[in-house]
Amino acid sequence: MDTLVPWMAVGVAVLSLLLDSWLWSGRSKTAADAEPTRFWKEVQSLSAGFLTVVAAVAIGLLAGWYFGAMGLAGGAAVGSFIAVVANIAERPLGDGFRPLVVPAGLATGGIGATLLAAPPDRLPLQLGVVIGSAVTAAILRASNSAPVRWPFLTTIFAAALGSAAAIGQFRDNVDRAEATPIVLAVAATLIIAIAAAWRRFSDKQRGKAAGAHSTAVIGGLLLIGAGKLIASRYLFLNDAFLVIGGSVITAAFVAFIVSDARGRDPSMFALGSLLWLAWATIAFGLMQGFGIGLFAVSSAAFLLLMDARAAFSSLGIVVAISFYRLFLEMFPTESRSIDVGQQYSVMGLLFGAALPIALVNWGAGIADRFRGKATPALVCVGGLISLCLIVALPFVLGSRGTIGFVLGLGFASLCLGIAGAGRISVFNLTSGIGAAVLATFGYVAPHLFVERDTKIRFLGWALGIAVLLVLVAEFLFGRGRKEENHV
């Protein structure tokens, strides 16, 4: 079956294009729909965007031949091709649900095809696919006045999939680790197509499409079921099922709190990042770097299923951690001084940058929703939650993770300031949290040496409580916001 995996990936890419065309073949078309797509107009007119893509591919191939890096150049050409096809397929079909089976299928086919090469040549091919797709998507976006989303989504899924497959190459004593993310992506693409077909069937039978919530539940359960089947029957590691299932559930909550209806709310974005980081810590504890890779693929697949535009922007932190783990595997000599403690330092750094932003904007939301005595009381509740996090943090991330957390507090103000949303209240909060960490660490340090499984269970319970608090907060002072384009 392993030799069939790359052909399955290529086949699902072709199938995704056919399914997308079939699903929308019976739709009533407008005059705009009958016109050629934006990219074909550019081809016909030999526009600057089209010529730039062609020149970039030609220069890349020539440079690859000259410097002896044809694997990287060939992968970049494949990545450029799938981004162009994604742009061609993204026709303006009006408002409403549009299944993202094409970006999922094209990314799966592009990365999966690299398994046809010899093992030493696969890694540069996989990196090249991501590079070529990203560069081409940027060129296409710059050359089009209308929003271009599918090439970007194709790149994101290809990055998650490529990093996971590449990490799998370095997983010792685990057969099929490299191919497992591809198999998962094939299953995810088919599940997205099933969900889209269900909505189309429901639309024809009842005159009303199935709701997004029912699609999320059905698709999410199918993804978790596929993860169980792959983990037990293909990879033979049950921990993989825990990683995949938890990733889908985490992605569902992030899609809920970082939703398009909220607009660009930094507090929800920061809170979503905290959820990503929490499950990334658990996934790393279960399967080390390969767990991070599976986490990235599973989360991206569910967000494609939901077409969660805003949540996609927060997924970048997961893919970045996946590439960080890949760097450690690719360059063991240069990174030999980096051990698991540094991994937790990075996690702590990201936690420290996201937590103050989430707390400050949460407090602002409370102030807008409540007045009088309720506001200080709720802020005190937030302070108690923060204190619990400060005490719990060293148990999960250890001493090095705590050091990273303290350093990350400074990045909260930096990130908001660069974005033009600097707040003195964030600096005030980071000062208080930093002092509290220093004051409490001496009391908890003697008790930090607990087993890994205990830490994972501890963080799992903490993550569940955090999600519950988010749901309660949403019920109390959730407000709808105008939908924005998160491209």
Side-chain angles (χ1 to χ4, degrees):
M1 181 178 178
D2 294 339
T3 58
L4 295 177
V5 170
W7 294 111
M8 290 168 55
V10 174
V12 84
V14 177
L15 182 63
S16 67
L17 294 169
L18 296 176
L19 283 174
D20 181 76
S21 177
W22 171 73
L23 287 170
W24 295 97
S25 60
R27 178 188 176 277
S28 57
K29 297 182 179 180
T30 64
D33 297 337
E35 296 179 358
T37 63
R38 292 187 298 271
F39 187 80
W40 284 125
K41 291 180 181 179
E42 294 184 6
V43 173
Q44 294 170 2
S45 62
L46 294 178
S47 68
F50 170 70
L51 293 178
T52 303
V53 170
V54 174
V57 173
I59 293 173
L61 291 174
L62 183 62
W65 170 78
Y66 183 80
F67 291 104
M70 284 304 296
L72 186 64
V78 173
S80 180
F81 174 76
I82 62 176
V84 166
V85 174
N87 189 43
I88 293 173
E90 188 182 6
R91 302 183 300 277
L93 292 174
D95 298 330
F97 175 77
R98 181 82 188 275
L100 298 178
V101 63
V102 170
L106 290 174
T108 302
I111 298 296
T114 62
L115 299 186
L116 293 171
D121 300 327
R122 292 173 184 173
L123 183 55
L125 282 171
Q126 290 161 355
L127 296 177
V129 170
V130 179
I131 295 171
S133 180
V135 171
T136 302
I139 294 173
L140 294 174
R141 179 65 183 92
S143 63
N144 283 298
S145 58
V148 173
R149 293 185 59 237
W150 283 17
F152 288 130
L153 297 177
T154 302
T155 302
I156 293 172
F157 197 51
L161 187 57
S163 60
I167 291 174
Q169 297 181 33
F170 299 96
R171 185 65 189 248
D172 296 331
N173 302 321
V174 178
D175 296 331
R176 300 174 172 175
E178 181 184 9
T180 295
I182 309 297
V183 175
L184 179 61
V186 169
T189 304
L190 295 177
I191 290 169
I192 295 172
I194 291 171
W198 164 249
R199 293 190 66 152
R200 181 67 172 154
F201 174 79
S202 177
D203 188 15
K204 286 185 176 181
Q205 294 297 317
R206 300 186 303 168
K208 180 181 179 181
H213 292 92
S214 61
T215 303
V217 171
I218 295 173
L221 291 176
L222 289 175
L223 275 174
I224 293 174
K228 175 62 176 177
L229 187 63
I230 292 171
S232 60
R233 301 294 182 181
Y234 184 76
L235 189 61
F236 305 108
L237 285 176
N238 287 328
D239 283 347
F241 166 64
L242 298 177
V243 172
I244 295 170
S247 301
V248 172
I249 295 173
T250 303
F253 280 110
V254 173
F256 171 71
I257 63 176
V258 189
S259 62
D260 297 319
R262 298 176 184 275
R264 297 185 183 273
D265 187 342
S267 65
M268 295 297 102
F269 188 93
L271 189 56
S273 298
L274 289 174
L275 291 178
W276 287 135
L277 289 169
W279 189 253
T281 305
I282 296 177
F284 176 77
L286 290 171
M287 300 189 71
Q288 289 76 49
F290 187 57
I292 299 291
L294 287 181
F295 172 33
V297 176
S298 305
S299 303
F302 184 82
L303 295 181
L304 284 174
L305 171 72
M306 286 296 298
D307 191 11
R309 304 180 186 183
F312 263 112
S313 60
S314 69
L315 188 66
I317 194 170
V318 179
V319 178
I321 294 174
S322 184
F323 276 116
Y324 163 72
R325 291 302 311 176
L326 179 58
F327 179 90
L328 300 185
E329 300 290 352
M330 289 178 61
F331 306 104
T333 302
E334 289 76 4
S335 59
R336 62 181 178 271
S337 61
I338 301 179
D339 56 16
V340 69
Q342 274 83 351
Q343 168 75 25
Y344 288 122
S345 296
V346 173
M347 296 292 187
L349 179 72
L350 298 174
F351 269 115
L355 180 61
I357 299 174
L359 289 175
V360 165
N361 286 277
W362 186 69
I366 290 175
D368 291 341
R369 181 68 173 84
F370 297 98
R371 293 286 184 258
K373 296 180 179 180
T375 302
L378 289 172
V379 171
C380 288
V381 172
L384 289 175
I385 295 173
S386 303
L387 180 61
C388 293
L389 290 174
I390 291 170
V391 174
L393 183 74
F395 286 99
V396 179
L397 298 180
S399 57
R400 293 185 181 181
T402 305
I403 295 172
F405 177 80
V406 174
L407 180 61
L409 292 173
F411 283 92
S413 298
L414 176 64
C415 295
L416 286 180
I418 293 175
R423 293 186 180 183
I424 195 171
S425 56
V426 173
F427 180 65
N428 170 78
L429 186 60
T430 56
S431 300
I433 292 177
V437 170
L438 297 179
T440 58
F441 185 77
Y443 294 98
V444 301
H447 309 287
L448 295 183
F449 301 98
V450 297
E451 296 180 356
R452 187 199 69 170
D453 293 342
T454 303
K455 289 185 178 182
I456 294 174
R457 286 196 298 270
F458 183 83
L459 185 57
W461 279 105
L463 180 59
I465 294 173
V467 168
L468 180 61
L469 290 174
V470 169
L471 294 177
V472 172
E474 172 66 18
F475 175 76
L476 289 176
F477 54 88
R479 296 190 303 274
R481 294 176 175 85
K482 185 178 179 181
E483 181 176 344
E484 298 183 14
N485 187 0
H486 291 266
V487 176

